[in-house]
Amino acid sequence: KCYGGGPRIKVSPRPNLGFGKVAYYAGAPIPVMRKLTVLNVGTKPPNGDVQGNLFLGKIVNGMAGQIPLLSVRPLNATTAADEIDIGIPSNYDLTKGLEASAGKNLAELVITLTPTTVGTKEAELTIFSNDSAEPEVKIKITADAQALPPCNLGITPQGVLNFGLVSPPAFRELPVTVTNLGQNPGDLCYLSGIDIATGSNPAY
């Protein structure tokens, strides 16, 4: 007697996670974060055995979910391993993994890049799991770290955004204007990978 089903891993974005242009400040590194979604798109065993869940980590002596859960390998000379940190969400249970059920099949990894030098950043992230068809998923992480002067931003309105009373299902929108106050062509500000050039239209 046996039960069908089993874990299947799906990672997004894949195969590349691009940070785009990021700012490097000597002596004061600034971290930049992106999210990587891991899903169990397999089939839940009808007997509910948690061994049919998706576990991050290697299989050691038949036990899934063993350390290391993942690894990061620099791909060029301008990338250091300690520039990239992978955060496992607090709601991920190491003893239960990800069940193939809506609401229980997702974990969002937080990828934090803290450039300590200028240059192109390239690294390979490997996610280990107990997916028998694909026990290793590889994601290429890229970024372009550039030395920039301190960003001079103007934000309006400042202080508090007052929405007043909003009764559901109604909604209300309030604009926030972000303006690059730099005076030189090279005074760029990178906001979530979007650069606002000097004299350009504000971003909302």
Side-chain angles (χ1 to χ4, degrees), residues 70-188:
L70 42 84
S71 68
V72 176
R73 180 173 65 91
L75 297 178
N76 63 5
T78 56
T79 305
D82 60 1
E83 291 181 305
I84 300 172
D85 178 73
I86 315 297
I88 305 296
S90 58
N91 62 347
Y92 175 75
D93 191 333
L94 293 171
T95 63
K96 296 180 180 179
L98 298 175
E99 183 181 305
S101 300
K104 300 179 180 180
N105 65 337
L106 180 148
E108 288 188 329
L109 309 183
V110 177
I111 317 299
T112 303
L113 170 67
T114 308
T116 56
T117 60
V118 297
T120 301
K121 306 297 179 180
E122 293 184 353
E124 182 181 73
L125 166 64
T126 301
I127 302 173
F128 305 106
S129 76
N130 62 330
D131 181 342
S132 59
E134 196 173 18
E136 297 183 5
V137 173
K138 297 184 182 295
I139 306 293
K140 185 177 182 180
I141 299 173
T142 61
D144 180 14
Q146 299 184 359
L148 297 172
C151 188
N152 185 11
L153 285 179
I155 301 176
T156 55
Q158 295 184 0
V160 178
L161 282 176
N162 186 0
F163 284 85
L165 177 63
V166 182
S167 301
F171 70 93
R172 183 173 300 163
E173 295 181 351
L174 294 178
V176 175
T177 302
V178 181
T179 306
N180 183 352
L181 302 177
Q183 301 297 315
N184 303 308
D187 294 342
L188 297 178

Side-chain angles (χ1 to χ4, degrees), residues 9-17 36-37 134 136-140:
I9 190 170
K10 180 180 179 181
V11 180
S12 179
R14 183 184 180 186
N16 299 311
L17 177 64
L36 196 67
T37 301
E134 196 173 18
E136 297 183 5
V137 173
K138 297 184 182 295
I139 306 293
K140 185 177 182 180

